Amino acid sequence: MSEPSSVLVVGASAAGLATVESLRRGGYRGTVTVVGEEEHAPYDRPPLSKQVLSGNWESDRSRLRTESALVETGAEFVLADPAVRLDPADRTVHTASGRTLRAEAVVLATGLRPKRLPGRDAAGVHVLRTLDDSLRLRAELSRARNVVVVGDGVLGSEIAATARDMESDVTLVGPQAAPMADQLGPRVAGMLGELHAERGVRLRSRAGVEALQADHGRVTGVRLETGETLPADAVVVAIGAAPATDWLADSGLRLDDGVVCDSRCRAAAGVYAVGDVARWHHEGLDQSMRLENRTNATEQARAVAANLLGADRPYAPVPHFWTDQFDAKIQVHGVPHPESEVTVVEGDPAERRFVARYARRGAPVAVLGWNRPKQVRARRQEVVETFSVPALEPS
Amino acid sequence: MKVTVDQESCVASGQCVMTAADVFDQRDEDGIVELLEDQPTEDRAEDVRQAAALCPARAIRVEGQSGFVR
Ligand SMILES: Cc1cc2nc3c(=O)[nH]c(=O)nc-3n(C[C@H](O)[C@H](O)[C@H](O)COP(=O)(O)OP(=O)(O)OC[C@H]3O[C@@H](n4cnc5c(N)ncnc54)[C@H](O)[C@@H]3O)c2cc1C
Ligand code: SF4
């Protein structure tokens, strides 16, 4: 496809904004419109479980761009008006307020929606995805005595750490053997569990939650499958999130845990997906992939913008994410399969400063740094080949 | 062009170094960004802007025009 005369981006957050900026940096002069559900100007999510939640940052500091930088993009931002329907054939988007927007290319960047526990939410039950969620939870944490975090993935573990730093009494409940075990493997997750325990987080590992208990509409506890009840005056449900594709149900696009795209991040002619909502084919790994991390939002946006401008290149990144919990800064390049062999290649785990390499069947799949950001970045090179697209055989 | 970095916001991701290793470095201790060159030459402008765009902490500021073609 030659360069589209107009581009419509649905979702005004990290991936959507990065798409706009990459288009402009790539020299694109066409009309750009961004539709967003939230009323806020684009803001960043990682601080929402860290500096914004703890109160160390005012919420304004999470803004992605100043007003003047947004104006400079020359894009029109239509905020507080969610898209409700897409017709991919003529790339028309209808919004909740009744707008009809048409463009030559549409980029879907609607991210995720947090999953909830079944049943009606009582007061004191929280999820964390948006700035408003974070501010509500912050207010609650400042007065709550017993906080239970349900879900021991990256988000639940971060929230537990931040809440504990705010002096709440915190219990982290989840199905895994240790926090983030599915993501980091048993060895490093075990160390993370030790850190949490040392700092006073009560860990309930391998625990299933049966129900939340409430009294007069206010949460009072979390009942586990064992029958035990953990008292709680605040509960954070961090059991994962699902791609925000409900509004695309009748679009005819293929949806399967995300908007299904080819290796160019293209879902249909003139329709692309980017960020947490996009499931695309990673040619280097020859597998379907969807990433939920901040670096991917920017890097995939760059790839989508280039393809919109005619590059026709596969998106085959080395995934990268970081998490900050207590004083641990953990950074990962690659995908640390939980069954990998893990070797410490630098530093000393006992000192909580080290770099570990993850390998499967002899091939390096990830490097992980624990308070070793510079050193792990320098070793990213070791996994690049695993993710790169094989060069075409000369014919 | 003039570049500044905000070490307080930096999350030590190293994106900037991967993009422009002659302009940015990271401290050995904690990986926080260090500026090697605060007035990069024009031929480095593209990479430096790219680094600022990729920085997940918005810790890199580039003064001068945004680099957008309008
Ligand atoms: C609390 C928290 C902490 C995190 N911490 C880290 C971290 O430490 N490191 C890391 O790598 N990653 C982290 N992440 C993940 C990272 O923030 C995401 O990967 C990133 O935000 C994805 O960007 P996105 O633009 O694809 O999606 P989102 O940021 O979810 O943005 C999607 C936007 O689309 C809007 N939208 C949804 N439906 C519609 C519709 N129908 N019409 C219009 N607009 C719509 C939404 O309201 C939202 O504003 C964190 C995420 C959260 C929530
Ligand atoms: S890219 Fe940004 S956050 Fe990462 S090291 Fe450089 S300045 Fe720090």
Side-chain angles (χ1 to χ4, degrees):
Chain A
M1 193 176 79
S2 62
E3 196 175 295
S5 62
S6 53
V7 177
L8 173 62
V9 179
V10 186
S13 184
L17 180 63
T19 305
V20 173
E21 294 188 339
S22 299
L23 280 169
R24 292 303 192 212
R25 262 200 315 281
Y28 182 64
R29 294 159 191 269
T31 308
V32 179
T33 311
V34 183
V35 191
E37 170 176 55
E38 297 181 77
E39 61 183 337
H40 303 288
Y43 61 86
D44 210 13
R45 284 172 219 277
L48 302 184
S49 51
K50 310 176 185 74
Q51 301 92 331
V52 171
L53 184 59
S54 68
N56 284 343
W57 283 16
E58 284 310 311
S59 56
D60 245 19
R61 248 184 104 174
S62 66
R63 249 190 102 120
L64 280 167
R65 294 291 178 267
T66 60
E67 202 54 47
S68 64
L70 292 179
V71 170
E72 241 184 289
T73 65
E76 187 194 351
F77 288 84
V78 178
L79 299 179
D81 192 10
V84 292
R85 199 152 56 84
L86 165 75
D87 183 350
D90 62 358
R91 292 165 310 277
T92 302
V93 166
H94 302 271
T95 71
S97 80
R99 284 188 175 91
T100 301
L101 302 160
R102 225 192 136 267
E104 249 191 277
V106 174
V107 179
L108 308 171
T110 49
L112 306 177
R113 288 209 202 289
K115 293 182 186 160
R116 290 166 191 268
L117 290 169
R120 206 162 48 92
D121 276 353
V125 179
H126 296 256
V127 292
L128 177 52
R129 182 74 195 171
T130 66
L131 179 58
D132 296 343
D133 292 339
S134 180
L135 297 177
R136 260 194 303 269
L137 180 58
R138 169 161 114 188
E140 184 101 65
L141 289 179
S142 66
R143 48 176 190 257
R145 282 208 310 270
N146 291 308
V147 179
V148 175
V149 180
V150 179
D152 51 4
V154 59
L155 186 58
S157 307
E158 280 193 4
I159 294 168
T162 304
R164 187 63 203 126
D165 275 343
M166 293 166 78
E167 321 257 283
S168 304
D169 198 292
V170 181
T171 308
L172 176 60
V173 187
Q176 305 177 73
M180 295 184 72
D182 290 348
Q183 221 170 343
L184 303 178
R187 183 165 172 195
V188 176
M191 294 177 52
L192 188 61
E194 279 166 29
L195 175 64
H196 274 258
E198 219 170 80
R199 297 299 180 99
V201 174
R202 264 194 294 272
L203 294 173
R204 288 309 184 90
S205 302
R206 300 189 195 281
V209 167
E210 196 169 80
L212 301 182
Q213 293 187 327
D215 185 23
H216 289 92
R218 168 103 216 154
V219 73
T220 56
V222 176
R223 197 169 68 241
L224 303 182
E225 277 167 5
T226 55
E228 183 193 1
T229 298
L230 307 171
D233 43 18
V235 173
V236 189
V237 179
I239 53 173
T245 53
D246 39 329
W247 70 284
L248 295 168
D250 61 358
S251 65
L253 293 180
R254 230 181 100 210
L255 305 174
D256 181 8
D257 183 34
V259 177
V260 179
C261 300
D262 65 11
S263 61
R264 273 64 179 161
C265 311
R266 187 178 47 212
V271 180
Y272 291 74
V274 64
D276 285 7
V277 78
R279 169 168 292 286
W280 88 106
H281 187 79
H282 190 303
E283 273 190 12
L285 298 173
D286 191 23
Q287 70 184 43
S288 158
M289 194 170 225
R290 189 172 65 74
L291 294 173
E292 299 180 2
N293 67 57
R294 183 62 183 83
T295 327
N296 179 63
T298 328
E299 290 183 348
Q300 193 168 23
R302 180 156 59 132
V304 163
N307 286 338
L308 277 168
L309 300 180
D312 190 28
R313 269 199 305 270
Y315 177 57
V318 177
H320 167 63
F321 82 92
W322 79 93
T323 175
D324 300 342
Q325 299 177 30
F326 299 110
D327 56 3
K329 286 187 179 297
I330 299 173
Q331 289 165 324
V332 179
H333 296 274
V335 181
H337 191 281
E339 277 148 39
S340 313
E341 307 104 61
V342 179
T343 320
V344 173
V345 290
E346 213 173 307
D348 183 357
E351 285 171 21
R352 293 195 169 136
R353 298 169 81 77
F354 66 96
V355 179
R357 189 196 296 127
Y358 290 66
R360 282 201 90 196
R361 300 181 203 99
V365 292
V367 286
L368 173 146
W370 183 305
N371 286 337
R372 274 282 171 255
K374 178 172 177 171
Q375 294 75 5
V376 72
R377 191 254 310 144
R379 284 178 179 270
R380 171 183 183 272
Q381 198 51 39
E382 297 174 11
V383 299
V384 165
E385 204 186 296
T386 305
F387 294 86
S388 39
V389 178
L392 289 177
E393 299 284 329
S395 52
Chain B
M1 78 186 334
K2 182 154 169 44
V3 184
T4 52
V5 293
D6 173 4
Q7 294 182 319
E8 214 211 308
S9 306
C10 172
V11 295
S13 70
Q15 302 289 317
C16 53
V17 189
M18 287 186 255
T19 314
D22 52 341
V23 179
F24 304 99
D25 197 0
Q26 289 176 277
R27 295 199 295 232
D28 288 339
E29 266 311 284
D30 53 10
I32 297 298
V33 63
E34 284 182 312
L35 206 49
L36 298 176
E37 177 55 75
D38 66 353
Q39 301 205 321
T41 50
E42 267 317 298
D43 58 320
R44 302 299 294 130
E46 190 43 43
D47 281 347
V48 171
R49 288 207 179 92
Q50 187 65 47
L54 285 176
C55 172
R58 304 173 308 286
I60 302 171
R61 282 187 64 107
V62 180
E63 284 164 34
Q65 353 93 300
S66 61
F68 297 151
V69 186
R70 292 281 292 283

